[in-house]
Amino acid sequence: MNPNEPEMARPVLAVLFLCALIAASVWILRPFLPALIWATMVVIATWPLLLRVQRRLGNRRTPAVIAMTLLVLLILVVPLSLAIATLVDNADRIVEWGKDLTEFRLPLPPAWIGELPLVGARAEEAWAQLAAVGTAELAAKAAPYAGNLTKWFVSEIGSFGLVFVQFLLTVALSAILYASGERFAAGVRRFGHRLGGARGESAVVLAGQAIRAVALGVGITAFVQSILGGIGLAIAGLPFVPVLTALMFMCCIAQLGPALVLAPAVFWLYWSDSSGWGTFLLVWAIFVGTMDNFLRPLLIRQGADLPLLLILAGVIGGMLAFGLVGIFVGPVVLAVAYTLLEAWINERPSAAEEAETAAGVVAVIESPDHSQPPAS
């Protein structure tokens, strides 16, 4: 081997060792990664609120951290506990409803069904067919699917304990991040600066702004819609309000809207001869279902000056790609990529690059047209 040639084995082995060390670290921390990601998102989104609480408490960090930790605990753990307790307390009632459903007979369709435009004839025919068949035969046909659904629900009930532990771990990690947020933020910014200089550090800041924009625009909008929808359900006297409210919140987070829960509730009230409460809930559902059209853009603009379409595409695409945590990961990735691409496109070229580009353009203009065939 020539002593003047560079040694390739040492840097290759060093890179492989670092990759193996990073992979082993990620594998060890894998059970804690979901809770750590959620805690980071929660702390970044609520950091201005922490500073406001800290100023109200005499600029003392410890009482502010305790207050914010209790708030996170109230938001994450209490709704899940109420939903589980509601299902457990009403388990016998759910079974009785299932038995009553098999014996239920649908009446003949009313006259106004056939008078509906476009879909009236088909709706009347489907209603009459369902009334003739009865729910018992439908229940027999749906029995295999119901069995699979029951197995899935039992498995999900078994994982509620794990979800509860993950929520508690998220709360604990949030408290740690609240206590030393400035130090962690400075470390992440230094890491971004080491990767890409000033542009890398600005990308880290932009990622935090995107997280805050999603938390404000998507999270708070979903929270407000689900709470108002739950209040309407409680006033109308529907059962399982905590479960329906939690389901409504998940639908709003997934950008499906509260109508998937409120519309069947309105139909059930009309079906139960509670037309007054049904009309009230219908008007309330229209108000709750359309308020995101003005509330969500307003809140997103408070967090980051980014295109609304970019944020919504990141929320939906991130959730489909990474699950529930992708609601925050998707917009962050798209926001950083969009900003870096915009900065690269709008970056002013140097004088030498401008002179070279101008010379190339002049050469193209002064060159003969090679598209014409040569003269014979």
Side-chain angles (χ1 to χ4, degrees):
M1 179 178 179
N2 190 350
N4 295 327
E5 293 181 359
E7 184 181 356
M8 297 297 297
R10 180 179 297 176
V12 171
L13 290 177
V15 171
L16 291 177
F17 176 77
L18 288 177
C19 292
L21 185 62
I22 294 174
S25 301
V26 173
W27 181 262
I28 293 172
L29 295 176
R30 190 168 57 93
F32 306 97
L33 287 180
L36 179 60
I37 294 175
W38 275 110
T40 303
M41 304 302 175
V42 169
V43 171
I44 291 176
T46 59
W47 188 257
L49 181 60
L50 171 71
L51 297 180
R52 194 176 306 170
V53 173
Q54 181 176 334
R55 287 194 297 267
R56 293 290 182 89
L57 297 176
N59 287 327
R60 293 180 297 171
R61 175 58 58 90
T62 301
V65 171
I66 294 175
M68 292 300 299
T69 303
L70 292 177
L71 179 62
V72 174
L73 184 67
L74 181 66
I75 293 175
L76 291 181
V77 177
V78 172
L80 179 66
S81 303
L82 289 176
I84 296 175
T86 303
L87 288 176
V88 172
D89 293 340
N90 295 274
D92 296 337
R93 190 177 180 184
I94 294 174
V95 173
E96 292 179 0
W97 282 356
K99 293 180 180 178
D100 295 339
L101 184 61
T102 59
E103 301 174 356
F104 177 75
R105 300 295 298 180
L106 193 67
L108 294 177
W112 58 269
I113 291 290
E115 299 175 358
L116 292 176
L118 299 179
V119 297
R122 294 184 179 180
E124 185 178 14
E125 182 181 356
W127 189 315
Q129 184 178 2
L130 183 61
V133 171
T135 57
E137 185 174 346
L138 292 178
K141 293 181 179 180
Y145 306 99
N148 296 331
L149 182 61
T150 303
K151 293 178 182 178
W152 173 83
F153 184 75
V154 170
S155 64
E156 291 299 318
I157 288 291
S159 64
F160 276 160
L162 180 60
V163 173
F164 192 79
V165 172
Q166 288 286 344
F167 278 179
L168 292 180
L169 185 59
T170 300
V171 173
L173 292 175
S174 299
I176 296 174
L177 294 176
Y178 279 134
S180 305
E182 292 86 355
R183 182 165 58 88
F184 289 116
V188 175
R189 294 181 68 171
R190 286 197 302 269
F191 179 76
H193 190 273
R194 291 286 294 173
L195 287 179
R199 187 170 295 175
E201 186 174 353
S202 63
V204 171
V205 176
L206 179 68
Q209 293 176 352
I211 292 173
R212 193 164 297 149
V214 173
L216 290 174
V218 177
I220 293 183
T221 302
F223 182 76
V224 171
Q225 283 185 300
S226 59
I227 290 299
L228 292 179
I231 291 175
L233 294 175
I235 294 176
L238 272 81
F240 303 107
V241 173
V243 177
L244 295 177
T245 303
L247 181 60
M248 202 182 322
F249 178 75
M250 297 303 298
C251 292
C252 293
I253 285 290
Q255 304 302 299
L256 299 176
L260 292 179
V261 177
L262 294 177
V266 172
F267 179 78
W268 185 80
L269 287 173
Y270 278 113
W271 186 262
S272 303
D273 293 332
S274 300
S275 56
W277 288 116
T279 304
F280 159 76
L281 190 59
L282 177 61
V283 175
W284 189 253
I286 294 174
F287 167 71
V288 173
T290 56
M291 66 181 304
D292 60 331
N293 294 325
F294 61 89
L295 181 60
R296 182 169 51 204
L298 178 64
L299 293 174
I300 285 178
R301 291 296 181 184
Q302 300 296 323
D305 190 12
L306 293 170
L308 180 62
L309 182 60
L310 181 75
I311 297 294
L312 295 181
V315 169
I316 299 174
M319 186 181 62
L320 295 176
F322 303 105
L324 194 58
V325 74
I327 294 173
F328 293 95
V329 175
V332 168
V333 173
L334 289 185
V336 173
Y338 170 80
T339 304
L340 292 179
L341 181 61
E342 187 181 33
W344 178 72
I345 293 176
N346 297 328
E347 185 177 4
R348 184 179 181 84
S350 62
E353 292 176 345
E354 289 183 350
E356 183 179 356
T357 303
V361 172
V362 171
V364 171
I365 293 176
E366 294 180 351
S367 63
D369 189 5
H370 296 289
S371 61
Q372 298 294 334
S376 56

